[in-house]
PDB file of all heavy atoms in Angstrom:
ATOM      1  N   GLN H  49       0.825  -1.204   0.000  1.00 95.00           N
ATOM      2  CA  GLN H  49       0.000   0.000   0.000  1.00 95.00           C
ATOM      3  C   GLN H  49       0.864   1.261   0.000  1.00 95.00           C
ATOM      4  O   GLN H  49       0.544   2.261  -0.655  1.00 95.00           O
ATOM      5  CB  GLN H  49      -0.920  -0.002   1.225  1.00 95.00           C
ATOM      6  CG  GLN H  49      -1.811   1.217   1.375  1.00 95.00           C
ATOM      7  CD  GLN H  49      -2.802   1.373   0.221  1.00 95.00           C
ATOM      8  OE1 GLN H  49      -3.255   0.380  -0.335  1.00 95.00           O
ATOM      9  NE2 GLN H  49      -3.114   2.616  -0.150  1.00 95.00           N
ATOM     10  N   ARG H  50       1.984   1.194   0.721  1.00 97.00           N
ATOM     11  CA  ARG H  50       2.857   2.362   0.811  1.00 97.00           C
ATOM     12  C   ARG H  50       3.540   2.652  -0.520  1.00 97.00           C
ATOM     13  O   ARG H  50       3.642   3.805  -0.936  1.00 97.00           O
ATOM     14  CB  ARG H  50       3.900   2.126   1.917  1.00 97.00           C
ATOM     15  CG  ARG H  50       4.793   3.327   2.187  1.00 97.00           C
ATOM     16  CD  ARG H  50       5.575   3.182   3.480  1.00 97.00           C
ATOM     17  NE  ARG H  50       6.584   2.137   3.421  1.00 97.00           N
ATOM     18  CZ  ARG H  50       6.502   0.968   4.042  1.00 97.00           C
ATOM     19  NH1 ARG H  50       5.430   0.670   4.764  1.00 97.00           N
ATOM     20  NH2 ARG H  50       7.473   0.084   3.947  1.00 97.00           N
ATOM     21  N   PHE H  51       3.999   1.610  -1.193  1.00 97.00           N
ATOM     22  CA  PHE H  51       4.772   1.817  -2.422  1.00 97.00           C
ATOM     23  C   PHE H  51       3.906   1.808  -3.687  1.00 97.00           C
ATOM     24  O   PHE H  51       4.330   2.310  -4.723  1.00 97.00           O
ATOM     25  CB  PHE H  51       5.873   0.753  -2.524  1.00 97.00           C
ATOM     26  CG  PHE H  51       6.991   0.968  -1.543  1.00 97.00           C
ATOM     27  CD1 PHE H  51       7.034   0.245  -0.358  1.00 97.00           C
ATOM     28  CD2 PHE H  51       7.980   1.915  -1.777  1.00 97.00           C
ATOM     29  CE1 PHE H  51       8.050   0.445   0.563  1.00 97.00           C
ATOM     30  CE2 PHE H  51       9.003   2.118  -0.863  1.00 97.00           C
ATOM     31  CZ  PHE H  51       9.044   1.387   0.308  1.00 97.00           C
ATOM     32  N   TYR H  52       2.706   1.210  -3.596  1.00 97.00           N
ATOM     33  CA  TYR H  52       1.791   1.189  -4.750  1.00 97.00           C
ATOM     34  C   TYR H  52       0.405   1.653  -4.289  1.00 97.00           C
ATOM     35  O   TYR H  52      -0.542   0.869  -4.259  1.00 97.00           O
ATOM     36  CB  TYR H  52       1.707  -0.212  -5.351  1.00 97.00           C
ATOM     37  CG  TYR H  52       3.041  -0.765  -5.802  1.00 97.00           C
ATOM     38  CD1 TYR H  52       3.789  -1.579  -4.953  1.00 97.00           C
ATOM     39  CD2 TYR H  52       3.555  -0.472  -7.071  1.00 97.00           C
ATOM     40  CE1 TYR H  52       5.019  -2.082  -5.354  1.00 97.00           C
ATOM     41  CE2 TYR H  52       4.787  -0.977  -7.472  1.00 97.00           C
ATOM     42  CZ  TYR H  52       5.515  -1.782  -6.609  1.00 97.00           C
ATOM     43  OH  TYR H  52       6.727  -2.277  -7.004  1.00 97.00           O
ATOM     44  N   PRO H  53       0.282   2.919  -3.899  1.00 96.00           N
ATOM     45  CA  PRO H  53      -0.960   3.396  -3.273  1.00 96.00           C
ATOM     46  C   PRO H  53      -2.180   3.343  -4.188  1.00 96.00           C
ATOM     47  O   PRO H  53      -3.309   3.337  -3.696  1.00 96.00           O
ATOM     48  CB  PRO H  53      -0.615   4.847  -2.889  1.00 96.00           C
ATOM     49  CG  PRO H  53       0.507   5.227  -3.805  1.00 96.00           C
ATOM     50  CD  PRO H  53       1.294   3.980  -4.025  1.00 96.00           C
ATOM     51  N   ASN H  54      -1.985   3.290  -5.493  1.00 96.00           N
ATOM     52  CA  ASN H  54      -3.117   3.325  -6.425  1.00 96.00           C
ATOM     53  C   ASN H  54      -3.519   1.947  -6.934  1.00 96.00           C
ATOM     54  O   ASN H  54      -4.335   1.829  -7.841  1.00 96.00           O
ATOM     55  CB  ASN H  54      -2.785   4.230  -7.623  1.00 96.00           C
ATOM     56  CG  ASN H  54      -2.522   5.663  -7.197  1.00 96.00           C
ATOM     57  OD1 ASN H  54      -3.234   6.180  -6.333  1.00 96.00           O
ATOM     58  ND2 ASN H  54      -1.502   6.290  -7.768  1.00 96.00           N
ATOM     59  N   HIS H  55      -2.922   0.914  -6.359  1.00 96.00           N
ATOM     60  CA  HIS H  55      -3.220  -0.439  -6.827  1.00 96.00           C
ATOM     61  C   HIS H  55      -3.713  -1.299  -5.665  1.00 96.00           C
ATOM     62  O   HIS H  55      -3.168  -1.250  -4.566  1.00 96.00           O
ATOM     63  CB  HIS H  55      -1.975  -1.081  -7.447  1.00 96.00           C
ATOM     64  CG  HIS H  55      -2.252  -2.390  -8.118  1.00 96.00           C
ATOM     65  ND1 HIS H  55      -2.738  -2.472  -9.404  1.00 96.00           N
ATOM     66  CD2 HIS H  55      -2.142  -3.670  -7.671  1.00 96.00           C
ATOM     67  CE1 HIS H  55      -2.893  -3.746  -9.726  1.00 96.00           C
ATOM     68  NE2 HIS H  55      -2.541  -4.491  -8.692  1.00 96.00           N
ATOM     69  N   HIS H  56      -4.755  -2.085  -5.922  1.00 91.00           N
ATOM     70  CA  HIS H  56      -5.274  -2.997  -4.905  1.00 91.00           C
ATOM     71  C   HIS H  56      -4.711  -4.396  -5.144  1.00 91.00           C
ATOM     72  O   HIS H  56      -4.843  -4.947  -6.232  1.00 91.00           O
ATOM     73  CB  HIS H  56      -6.800  -3.048  -4.948  1.00 91.00           C
ATOM     74  CG  HIS H  56      -7.381  -4.093  -4.035  1.00 91.00           C
ATOM     75  ND1 HIS H  56      -7.369  -3.973  -2.665  1.00 91.00           N
ATOM     76  CD2 HIS H  56      -7.964  -5.297  -4.315  1.00 91.00           C
ATOM     77  CE1 HIS H  56      -7.931  -5.054  -2.130  1.00 91.00           C
ATOM     78  NE2 HIS H  56      -8.294  -5.865  -3.106  1.00 91.00           N
ATOM     79  N   PHE H  57      -4.073  -4.953  -4.137  1.00 93.00           N
ATOM     80  CA  PHE H  57      -3.494  -6.292  -4.238  1.00 93.00           C
ATOM     81  C   PHE H  57      -4.337  -7.293  -3.447  1.00 93.00           C
ATOM     82  O   PHE H  57      -4.721  -7.021  -2.305  1.00 93.00           O
ATOM     83  CB  PHE H  57      -2.066  -6.311  -3.665  1.00 93.00           C
ATOM     84  CG  PHE H  57      -1.056  -5.586  -4.498  1.00 93.00           C
ATOM     85  CD1 PHE H  57      -0.768  -4.245  -4.255  1.00 93.00           C
ATOM     86  CD2 PHE H  57      -0.382  -6.225  -5.533  1.00 93.00           C
ATOM     87  CE1 PHE H  57       0.173  -3.569  -5.017  1.00 93.00           C
ATOM     88  CE2 PHE H  57       0.553  -5.566  -6.303  1.00 93.00           C
ATOM     89  CZ  PHE H  57       0.832  -4.230  -6.040  1.00 93.00           C
ATOM     90  N   GLU H  58      -4.597  -8.447  -4.059  1.00 91.00           N
ATOM     91  CA  GLU H  58      -5.162  -9.581  -3.335  1.00 91.00           C
ATOM     92  C   GLU H  58      -3.995 -10.512  -3.000  1.00 91.00           C
ATOM     93  O   GLU H  58      -3.506 -11.237  -3.856  1.00 91.00           O
ATOM     94  CB  GLU H  58      -6.207 -10.311  -4.186  1.00 91.00           C
ATOM     95  CG  GLU H  58      -7.554  -9.625  -4.262  1.00 91.00           C
ATOM     96  CD  GLU H  58      -8.264  -9.577  -2.916  1.00 91.00           C
ATOM     97  OE1 GLU H  58      -7.999 -10.458  -2.069  1.00 91.00           O
ATOM     98  OE2 GLU H  58      -9.069  -8.649  -2.708  1.00 91.00           O
ATOM     99  N   VAL H  59      -3.538 -10.464  -1.768  1.00 94.00           N
ATOM    100  CA  VAL H  59      -2.351 -11.232  -1.371  1.00 94.00           C
ATOM    101  C   VAL H  59      -2.737 -12.697  -1.205  1.00 94.00           C
ATOM    102  O   VAL H  59      -3.599 -13.033  -0.393  1.00 94.00           O
ATOM    103  CB  VAL H  59      -1.762 -10.684  -0.054  1.00 94.00           C
ATOM    104  CG1 VAL H  59      -0.567 -11.536   0.391  1.00 94.00           C
ATOM    105  CG2 VAL H  59      -1.347  -9.232  -0.238  1.00 94.00           C
ATOM    106  N   PRO H  60      -2.132 -13.587  -1.967  1.00 93.00           N
ATOM    107  CA  PRO H  60      -2.449 -15.022  -1.836  1.00 93.00           C
ATOM    108  C   PRO H  60      -1.748 -15.616  -0.616  1.00 93.00           C
ATOM    109  O   PRO H  60      -0.969 -14.938   0.067  1.00 93.00           O
ATOM    110  CB  PRO H  60      -1.876 -15.617  -3.127  1.00 93.00           C
ATOM    111  CG  PRO H  60      -0.694 -14.755  -3.411  1.00 93.00           C
ATOM    112  CD  PRO H  60      -1.083 -13.361  -2.968  1.00 93.00           C
ATOM    113  N   ARG H  61      -2.018 -16.870  -0.352  1.00 94.00           N
ATOM    114  CA  ARG H  61      -1.307 -17.547   0.728  1.00 94.00           C
ATOM    115  C   ARG H  61       0.148 -17.738   0.300  1.00 94.00           C
ATOM    116  O   ARG H  61       0.429 -18.407  -0.683  1.00 94.00           O
ATOM    117  CB  ARG H  61      -1.934 -18.917   1.023  1.00 94.00           C
ATOM    118  CG  ARG H  61      -1.233 -19.629   2.186  1.00 94.00           C
ATOM    119  CD  ARG H  61      -1.909 -20.925   2.550  1.00 94.00           C
ATOM    120  NE  ARG H  61      -1.576 -21.994   1.619  1.00 94.00           N
ATOM    121  CZ  ARG H  61      -1.868 -23.278   1.823  1.00 94.00           C
ATOM    122  NH1 ARG H  61      -2.544 -23.632   2.889  1.00 94.00           N
ATOM    123  NH2 ARG H  61      -1.533 -24.187   0.939  1.00 94.00           N
ATOM    124  N   PHE H  62       1.067 -17.148   1.053  1.00 94.00           N
ATOM    125  CA  PHE H  62       2.470 -17.314   0.710  1.00 94.00           C
ATOM    126  C   PHE H  62       3.252 -17.984   1.840  1.00 94.00           C
ATOM    127  O   PHE H  62       4.471 -18.156   1.742  1.00 94.00           O
ATOM    128  CB  PHE H  62       3.116 -15.967   0.345  1.00 94.00           C
ATOM    129  CG  PHE H  62       3.121 -14.940   1.454  1.00 94.00           C
ATOM    130  CD1 PHE H  62       4.144 -14.909   2.389  1.00 94.00           C
ATOM    131  CD2 PHE H  62       2.121 -13.998   1.549  1.00 94.00           C
ATOM    132  CE1 PHE H  62       4.163 -13.961   3.399  1.00 94.00           C
ATOM    133  CE2 PHE H  62       2.122 -13.051   2.550  1.00 94.00           C
ATOM    134  CZ  PHE H  62       3.145 -13.018   3.487  1.00 94.00           C
ATOM    135  N   LEU H  63       2.565 -18.360   2.906  1.00 95.00           N
ATOM    136  CA  LEU H  63       3.200 -19.085   4.003  1.00 95.00           C
ATOM    137  C   LEU H  63       2.443 -20.385   4.257  1.00 95.00           C
ATOM    138  O   LEU H  63       1.214 -20.410   4.271  1.00 95.00           O
ATOM    139  CB  LEU H  63       3.189 -18.247   5.294  1.00 95.00           C
ATOM    140  CG  LEU H  63       4.119 -17.034   5.356  1.00 95.00           C
ATOM    141  CD1 LEU H  63       3.836 -16.222   6.609  1.00 95.00           C
ATOM    142  CD2 LEU H  63       5.575 -17.472   5.331  1.00 95.00           C
ATOM    143  N   SER H  64       3.179 -21.447   4.438  1.00 93.00           N
ATOM    144  CA  SER H  64       2.581 -22.720   4.877  1.00 93.00           C
ATOM    145  C   SER H  64       3.654 -23.474   5.644  1.00 93.00           C
ATOM    146  O   SER H  64       4.851 -23.230   5.470  1.00 93.00           O
ATOM    147  CB  SER H  64       2.090 -23.545   3.680  1.00 93.00           C
ATOM    148  OG  SER H  64       3.169 -23.838   2.810  1.00 93.00           O
ATOM    149  N   PHE H  65       3.222 -24.376   6.504  1.00 95.00           N
ATOM    150  CA  PHE H  65       4.155 -25.037   7.402  1.00 95.00           C
ATOM    151  C   PHE H  65       3.969 -26.545   7.367  1.00 95.00           C
ATOM    152  O   PHE H  65       2.877 -27.039   7.070  1.00 95.00           O
ATOM    153  CB  PHE H  65       3.984 -24.500   8.829  1.00 95.00           C
ATOM    154  CG  PHE H  65       4.196 -23.010   8.919  1.00 95.00           C
ATOM    155  CD1 PHE H  65       3.131 -22.131   8.803  1.00 95.00           C
ATOM    156  CD2 PHE H  65       5.469 -22.492   9.061  1.00 95.00           C
ATOM    157  CE1 PHE H  65       3.322 -20.760   8.845  1.00 95.00           C
ATOM    158  CE2 PHE H  65       5.676 -21.121   9.104  1.00 95.00           C
ATOM    159  CZ  PHE H  65       4.605 -20.252   8.998  1.00 95.00           C
ATOM    160  N   GLY H  66       5.026 -27.236   7.668  1.00 93.00           N
ATOM    161  CA  GLY H  66       4.976 -28.696   7.657  1.00 93.00           C
ATOM    162  C   GLY H  66       5.856 -29.279   8.740  1.00 93.00           C
ATOM    163  O   GLY H  66       6.686 -28.593   9.338  1.00 93.00           O
ATOM    164  N   SER H  67       5.676 -30.568   8.964  1.00 93.00           N
ATOM    165  CA  SER H  67       6.468 -31.283   9.963  1.00 93.00           C
ATOM    166  C   SER H  67       6.558 -32.740   9.544  1.00 93.00           C
ATOM    167  O   SER H  67       5.724 -33.226   8.774  1.00 93.00           O
ATOM    168  CB  SER H  67       5.792 -31.182  11.344  1.00 93.00           C
ATOM    169  OG  SER H  67       6.430 -32.039  12.282  1.00 93.00           O
ATOM    170  N   TRP H  68       7.584 -33.432  10.016  1.00 92.00           N
ATOM    171  CA  TRP H  68       7.573 -34.884   9.819  1.00 92.00           C
ATOM    172  C   TRP H  68       7.721 -35.615  11.149  1.00 92.00           C
ATOM    173  O   TRP H  68       7.951 -36.801  11.185  1.00 92.00           O
ATOM    174  CB  TRP H  68       8.571 -35.339   8.769  1.00 92.00           C
ATOM    175  CG  TRP H  68      10.035 -35.117   9.039  1.00 92.00           C
ATOM    176  CD1 TRP H  68      10.621 -34.695  10.188  1.00 92.00           C
ATOM    177  CD2 TRP H  68      11.093 -35.341   8.099  1.00 92.00           C
ATOM    178  NE1 TRP H  68      11.972 -34.622  10.019  1.00 92.00           N
ATOM    179  CE2 TRP H  68      12.291 -35.015   8.750  1.00 92.00           C
ATOM    180  CE3 TRP H  68      11.129 -35.791   6.785  1.00 92.00           C
ATOM    181  CZ2 TRP H  68      13.526 -35.110   8.130  1.00 92.00           C
ATOM    182  CZ3 TRP H  68      12.366 -35.887   6.173  1.00 92.00           C
ATOM    183  CH2 TRP H  68      13.548 -35.552   6.835  1.00 92.00           C
ATOM    184  N   ILE H  69       7.573 -34.872  12.268  1.00 93.00           N
ATOM    185  CA  ILE H  69       7.538 -35.524  13.584  1.00 93.00           C
ATOM    186  C   ILE H  69       6.264 -36.358  13.651  1.00 93.00           C
ATOM    187  O   ILE H  69       5.159 -35.836  13.508  1.00 93.00           O
ATOM    188  CB  ILE H  69       7.547 -34.495  14.731  1.00 93.00           C
ATOM    189  CG1 ILE H  69       8.703 -33.516  14.580  1.00 93.00           C
ATOM    190  CG2 ILE H  69       7.630 -35.201  16.075  1.00 93.00           C
ATOM    191  CD1 ILE H  69       8.665 -32.369  15.588  1.00 93.00           C
ATOM    192  N   GLY H  70       6.399 -37.636  13.857  1.00 95.00           N
ATOM    193  CA  GLY H  70       5.234 -38.525  13.871  1.00 95.00           C
ATOM    194  C   GLY H  70       4.951 -39.142  12.516  1.00 95.00           C
ATOM    195  O   GLY H  70       4.083 -40.005  12.392  1.00 95.00           O
ATOM    196  N   GLY H  71       5.667 -38.700  11.480  1.00 95.00           N
ATOM    197  CA  GLY H  71       5.479 -39.263  10.149  1.00 95.00           C
ATOM    198  C   GLY H  71       6.732 -39.893   9.582  1.00 95.00           C
ATOM    199  O   GLY H  71       6.672 -40.667   8.636  1.00 95.00           O
ATOM    200  N   ASP H  72       7.873 -39.562  10.170  1.00 94.00           N
ATOM    201  CA  ASP H  72       9.156 -40.060   9.668  1.00 94.00           C
ATOM    202  C   ASP H  72       9.461 -41.407  10.301  1.00 94.00           C
ATOM    203  O   ASP H  72       9.917 -41.488  11.427  1.00 94.00           O
ATOM    204  CB  ASP H  72      10.254 -39.045   9.994  1.00 94.00           C
ATOM    205  CG  ASP H  72      11.613 -39.475   9.467  1.00 94.00           C
ATOM    206  OD1 ASP H  72      11.637 -40.399   8.633  1.00 94.00           O
ATOM    207  OD2 ASP H  72      12.624 -38.893   9.885  1.00 94.00           O
ATOM    208  N   ARG H  73       9.183 -42.479   9.543  1.00 90.00           N
ATOM    209  CA  ARG H  73       9.356 -43.816  10.101  1.00 90.00           C
ATOM    210  C   ARG H  73      10.603 -44.507   9.574  1.00 90.00           C
ATOM    211  O   ARG H  73      10.827 -45.683   9.827  1.00 90.00           O
ATOM    212  CB  ARG H  73       8.136 -44.691   9.821  1.00 90.00           C
ATOM    213  CG  ARG H  73       7.914 -44.934   8.363  1.00 90.00           C
ATOM    214  CD  ARG H  73       6.525 -44.564   7.893  1.00 90.00           C
ATOM    215  NE  ARG H  73       5.452 -45.043   8.719  1.00 90.00           N
ATOM    216  CZ  ARG H  73       4.605 -44.251   9.349  1.00 90.00           C
ATOM    217  NH1 ARG H  73       4.718 -42.946   9.216  1.00 90.00           N
ATOM    218  NH2 ARG H  73       3.641 -44.736  10.087  1.00 90.00           N
ATOM    219  N   ASP H  74      11.451 -43.821   8.816  1.00 81.00           N
ATOM    220  CA  ASP H  74      12.641 -44.444   8.251  1.00 81.00           C
ATOM    221  C   ASP H  74      13.636 -44.768   9.369  1.00 81.00           C
ATOM    222  O   ASP H  74      14.317 -43.886   9.894  1.00 81.00           O
ATOM    223  CB  ASP H  74      13.285 -43.499   7.228  1.00 81.00           C
ATOM    224  CG  ASP H  74      14.532 -44.091   6.606  1.00 81.00           C
ATOM    225  OD1 ASP H  74      14.692 -45.322   6.660  1.00 81.00           O
ATOM    226  OD2 ASP H  74      15.349 -43.331   6.072  1.00 81.00           O
ATOM    227  N   GLY H  75      13.712 -46.036   9.743  1.00 71.00           N
ATOM    228  CA  GLY H  75      14.624 -46.450  10.790  1.00 71.00           C
ATOM    229  C   GLY H  75      14.155 -46.102  12.192  1.00 71.00           C
ATOM    230  O   GLY H  75      14.905 -46.234  13.155  1.00 71.00           O
ATOM    231  N   HIS H  76      12.919 -45.635  12.332  1.00 82.00           N
ATOM    232  CA  HIS H  76      12.378 -45.263  13.646  1.00 82.00           C
ATOM    233  C   HIS H  76      11.270 -46.249  14.001  1.00 82.00           C
ATOM    234  O   HIS H  76      10.131 -46.100  13.547  1.00 82.00           O
ATOM    235  CB  HIS H  76      11.826 -43.838  13.595  1.00 82.00           C
ATOM    236  CG  HIS H  76      11.625 -43.212  14.948  1.00 82.00           C
ATOM    237  ND1 HIS H  76      11.156 -43.912  16.038  1.00 82.00           N
ATOM    238  CD2 HIS H  76      11.847 -41.946  15.385  1.00 82.00           C
ATOM    239  CE1 HIS H  76      11.079 -43.107  17.069  1.00 82.00           C
ATOM    240  NE2 HIS H  76      11.493 -41.908  16.707  1.00 82.00           N
ATOM    241  N   PRO H  77      11.559 -47.268  14.803  1.00 87.00           N
ATOM    242  CA  PRO H  77      10.574 -48.323  15.068  1.00 87.00           C
ATOM    243  C   PRO H  77       9.353 -47.864  15.856  1.00 87.00           C
ATOM    244  O   PRO H  77       8.329 -48.550  15.874  1.00 87.00           O
ATOM    245  CB  PRO H  77      11.381 -49.359  15.866  1.00 87.00           C
ATOM    246  CG  PRO H  77      12.473 -48.563  16.519  1.00 87.00           C
ATOM    247  CD  PRO H  77      12.823 -47.485  15.537  1.00 87.00           C
ATOM    248  N   PHE H  78       9.443 -46.694  16.505  1.00 91.00           N
ATOM    249  CA  PHE H  78       8.325 -46.242  17.340  1.00 91.00           C
ATOM    250  C   PHE H  78       7.331 -45.371  16.573  1.00 91.00           C
ATOM    251  O   PHE H  78       6.312 -44.976  17.125  1.00 91.00           O
ATOM    252  CB  PHE H  78       8.860 -45.486  18.569  1.00 91.00           C
ATOM    253  CG  PHE H  78       9.768 -46.326  19.424  1.00 91.00           C
ATOM    254  CD1 PHE H  78      11.116 -46.043  19.527  1.00 91.00           C
ATOM    255  CD2 PHE H  78       9.272 -47.425  20.111  1.00 91.00           C
ATOM    256  CE1 PHE H  78      11.954 -46.816  20.296  1.00 91.00           C
ATOM    257  CE2 PHE H  78      10.101 -48.210  20.892  1.00 91.00           C
ATOM    258  CZ  PHE H  78      11.453 -47.907  20.988  1.00 91.00           C
ATOM    259  N   VAL H  79       7.637 -45.040  15.322  1.00 94.00           N
ATOM    260  CA  VAL H  79       6.670 -44.310  14.490  1.00 94.00           C
ATOM    261  C   VAL H  79       5.847 -45.351  13.742  1.00 94.00           C
ATOM    262  O   VAL H  79       6.278 -45.937  12.761  1.00 94.00           O
ATOM    263  CB  VAL H  79       7.376 -43.353  13.503  1.00 94.00           C
ATOM    264  CG1 VAL H  79       6.341 -42.640  12.634  1.00 94.00           C
ATOM    265  CG2 VAL H  79       8.213 -42.337  14.256  1.00 94.00           C
ATOM    266  N   THR H  80       4.647 -45.580  14.238  1.00 94.00           N
ATOM    267  CA  THR H  80       3.745 -46.592  13.684  1.00 94.00           C
ATOM    268  C   THR H  80       2.552 -45.906  13.019  1.00 94.00           C
ATOM    269  O   THR H  80       2.411 -44.677  13.078  1.00 94.00           O
ATOM    270  CB  THR H  80       3.242 -47.516  14.798  1.00 94.00           C
ATOM    271  OG1 THR H  80       2.488 -46.720  15.743  1.00 94.00           O
ATOM    272  CG2 THR H  80       4.406 -48.199  15.521  1.00 94.00           C
ATOM    273  N   VAL H  81       1.682 -46.712  12.421  1.00 95.00           N
ATOM    274  CA  VAL H  81       0.459 -46.175  11.817  1.00 95.00           C
ATOM    275  C   VAL H  81      -0.378 -45.465  12.877  1.00 95.00           C
ATOM    276  O   VAL H  81      -0.917 -44.374  12.636  1.00 95.00           O
ATOM    277  CB  VAL H  81      -0.355 -47.306  11.157  1.00 95.00           C
ATOM    278  CG1 VAL H  81      -1.719 -46.789  10.716  1.00 95.00           C
ATOM    279  CG2 VAL H  81       0.387 -47.858   9.951  1.00 95.00           C
ATOM    280  N   ASP H  82      -0.473 -46.060  14.057  1.00 96.00           N
ATOM    281  CA  ASP H  82      -1.262 -45.455  15.125  1.00 96.00           C
ATOM    282  C   ASP H  82      -0.669 -44.112  15.554  1.00 96.00           C
ATOM    283  O   ASP H  82      -1.402 -43.145  15.788  1.00 96.00           O
ATOM    284  CB  ASP H  82      -1.333 -46.408  16.324  1.00 96.00           C
ATOM    285  CG  ASP H  82      -2.225 -45.859  17.439  1.00 96.00           C
ATOM    286  OD1 ASP H  82      -3.398 -45.553  17.162  1.00 96.00           O
ATOM    287  OD2 ASP H  82      -1.731 -45.720  18.580  1.00 96.00           O
ATOM    288  N   VAL H  83       0.653 -44.034  15.638  1.00 96.00           N
ATOM    289  CA  VAL H  83       1.318 -42.776  16.012  1.00 96.00           C
ATOM    290  C   VAL H  83       1.069 -41.709  14.953  1.00 96.00           C
ATOM    291  O   VAL H  83       0.779 -40.547  15.270  1.00 96.00           O
ATOM    292  CB  VAL H  83       2.826 -43.011  16.233  1.00 96.00           C
ATOM    293  CG1 VAL H  83       3.587 -41.691  16.228  1.00 96.00           C
ATOM    294  CG2 VAL H  83       3.072 -43.740  17.537  1.00 96.00           C
ATOM    295  N   THR H  84       1.168 -42.072  13.681  1.00 96.00           N
ATOM    296  CA  THR H  84       0.911 -41.107  12.604  1.00 96.00           C
ATOM    297  C   THR H  84      -0.532 -40.629  12.638  1.00 96.00           C
ATOM    298  O   THR H  84      -0.821 -39.440  12.440  1.00 96.00           O
ATOM    299  CB  THR H  84       1.240 -41.733  11.235  1.00 96.00           C
ATOM    300  OG1 THR H  84       2.620 -42.114  11.217  1.00 96.00           O
ATOM    301  CG2 THR H  84       0.985 -40.757  10.100  1.00 96.00           C
ATOM    302  N   ASN H  85      -1.459 -41.548  12.905  1.00 95.00           N
ATOM    303  CA  ASN H  85      -2.867 -41.167  13.024  1.00 95.00           C
ATOM    304  C   ASN H  85      -3.070 -40.210  14.193  1.00 95.00           C
ATOM    305  O   ASN H  85      -3.772 -39.200  14.071  1.00 95.00           O
ATOM    306  CB  ASN H  85      -3.730 -42.422  13.203  1.00 95.00           C
ATOM    307  CG  ASN H  85      -5.213 -42.113  13.097  1.00 95.00           C
ATOM    308  OD1 ASN H  85      -5.622 -41.188  12.395  1.00 95.00           O
ATOM    309  ND2 ASN H  85      -6.022 -42.869  13.802  1.00 95.00           N
TER     310      ASN H  85
END
């Protein structure tokens, strides 16, 4: 708004987050289907 005062912007989603705690089962015997669920 400060640099383009005459233009209206519809800002899309530009942030998203992820994790693999509870999903990373490679060599981790305690990450099971039940744990992922």
